[in-house]
Amino acid sequence: MTRREEIETNLAAVRGRIERACTAAGRDADEVTLVVVTKFHPVTDLAHLVDLGVTDIGENRDQEAGAKIAELDPVTRAALTVHFIGQLQTNKARNVAAYADCVQSVDRPRLVGALDRAVANRAGAAGGEATLDVLLQVDLGEGEDAGRGGILPADVSTLADQVAETEHLRLKGLMAVAPLGLDEAGTTAAFGRLADLSAHVREAHPGATTLSAGMSGDLELAVSAGATHLRVGTAILGSRPVQR
């Protein structure tokens, strides 16, 4: 089996899971965007994914992502929406803003300011306007060891308001990773808390409709909770290669 055939087979299986999960939840599968997580995988895999109809990819390491995106030919790049999904250091904001279409891991005021300035600089250099979509990453572990990064739920509204006040960032919604060590009931409850928080944010910011949750092992639970974006890597591309 060629690498393309392997990806095609895995992608079809994941799309089937999403369709069945949507049917069970009474949702239309067209409401859900599959973000294929391509971290640690070569740029040739991205080309296969685009050829197979994938429109969204996720990367979480700036140095790798920037180099990989730069390798893409213009047609392939134009076909992709690139999501940065990893924890982001403030001093890397300018790098990421240069190639990402959406940053899903905004979790503090300093990062909001750094990204806004980075996009402003990009717009100035290009002699035009520029914007960057962002999601707020929520810590569903509420600060405990099981948490997977992000801002505490109690602080989300304030950070959402700060993003909305910027000139170059567009608040699109929330993102979270299920806390470690939870069983199905616990993960369901965690995603339910995220969905409730998303509804609260939308009251003040109606455009913040994105809910990014769910990965290879729990995508069905995320769909049931109303996720609009699923971040799936291993189930499609296989185990990550040895890090370079």
Side-chain angles (χ1 to χ4, degrees):
M1 181 181 293
T2 66
R3 178 59 172 161
R4 186 189 186 282
E5 290 170 340
E6 178 187 1
I7 294 174
E8 183 176 23
T9 298
N10 293 343
L11 183 61
V14 168
R15 284 172 169 162
R17 288 174 62 189
I18 294 171
E19 290 177 2
R20 291 189 294 274
C22 286
T23 298
R27 300 181 59 192
D28 188 331
D30 290 339
E31 299 174 4
V32 178
T33 297
L34 173 61
V35 180
V36 180
V37 181
T38 51
K39 61 182 181 181
F40 305 132
H41 292 277
V43 69
T44 50
D45 282 357
L46 274 65
H48 290 318
L49 290 167
V50 169
D51 192 44
L52 293 167
V54 169
T55 58
D56 294 71
I57 63 164
E59 289 281 339
N60 76 339
R61 296 198 311 172
D62 168 53
Q63 185 173 1
E64 176 195 350
K68 191 183 297 182
I69 300 306
E71 286 186 53
L72 296 173
D73 66 81
V75 174
T76 301
R77 175 63 186 95
L80 286 173
T81 297
V82 177
H83 301 255
F84 189 83
I85 61 176
Q87 296 297 299
L88 180 56
Q89 297 175 349
T90 304
N91 63 0
K92 298 291 187 180
R94 185 170 184 172
N95 294 348
V96 172
Y99 60 78
D101 300 301
C102 178
V103 175
Q104 293 202 12
S105 50
V106 173
D107 59 0
R108 59 198 186 280
R110 283 189 62 202
L111 183 55
V112 170
L115 286 170
D116 188 47
R117 289 190 297 273
V119 181
N121 290 335
R122 188 182 75 193
E129 298 182 358
T131 59
L132 177 67
D133 292 346
V134 300
L135 306 183
L136 306 186
Q137 182 173 355
V138 182
D139 181 0
L140 295 179
E142 301 187 354
E144 299 178 359
D145 290 341
R148 305 289 289 275
I151 189 169
L152 295 178
D155 299 323
V156 166
S157 292
T158 298
L159 191 61
D161 291 343
Q162 291 171 340
V163 172
E165 291 169 1
T166 65
E167 183 177 355
H168 300 284
L169 305 183
R170 297 191 302 180
L171 178 66
K172 302 299 288 184
L174 305 181
M175 181 272 263
V177 183
L180 293 168
L182 297 183
D183 58 13
E184 182 173 322
T187 300
T188 298
F191 286 156
R193 294 196 301 273
L194 181 66
D196 290 342
L197 189 59
S198 175
H200 178 71
V201 169
R202 288 198 305 274
E203 291 178 1
H205 306 284
T209 57
T210 296
L211 187 62
S212 176
M215 300 190 295
S216 294
D218 56 18
L219 68 85
E220 287 86 357
L221 301 180
V223 168
S224 180
T228 64
H229 288 62
L230 305 170
R231 308 178 307 275
V232 180
T234 302
I236 295 171
L237 297 177
S239 299
R240 62 185 62 171
V242 177
Q243 298 183 27
R244 296 183 296 275

